[in-house]
Amino acid sequence: MVHRPLLDGDVPAAVRALKAADGGELQVHGSIGLVQTLLAEDLVDELRTVVFPVVLGRGKRLFEGGAAPRTWRTVSSEVTTTGAVMSAHRRDGEVATGAFGLEYEDASSV
């Protein structure tokens, strides 16, 4: 049996074409390399992750290697009976920069 990739050639271009066509949602299961490519090309609208409370070593990093800085909004989160955390995050625009600490009008009142 010969296994052929579902996307040949320029993967980001193929995904852009699929997103532009009518049809259902596109999903990636178990290919961190493809997810990293799609993140770098700004082609991910929603991330659904499952984090298990187990440490098996170094593991693979989801946002390694060129993920574009983006803001994500958590739209759902659930902890399973085994302690795994399932969550969904949707794109929420560009990263806004600014202060993250408490700001007071009168610094002497701190």
Side-chain angles (χ1 to χ4, degrees), residues 2-26:
V2 176
H3 294 281
R4 292 189 53 224
L6 296 176
L7 301 174
D8 286 326
D10 184 349
V11 171
V15 171
R16 282 186 189 90
L18 286 170
K19 286 181 72 162
D22 288 335
E25 65 182 33
L26 303 173

Side-chain angles (χ1 to χ4, degrees), residues 56-69:
L56 298 176
R58 287 180 45 164
K60 297 178 182 178
R61 297 183 181 273
L62 179 59
F63 299 107
E64 188 169 67

Side-chain angles (χ1 to χ4, degrees), residues 48-60:
R48 294 184 186 182
T49 59
V50 181
V51 178
F52 295 91
V54 177
V55 176
L56 298 176
R58 287 180 45 164
K60 297 178 182 178

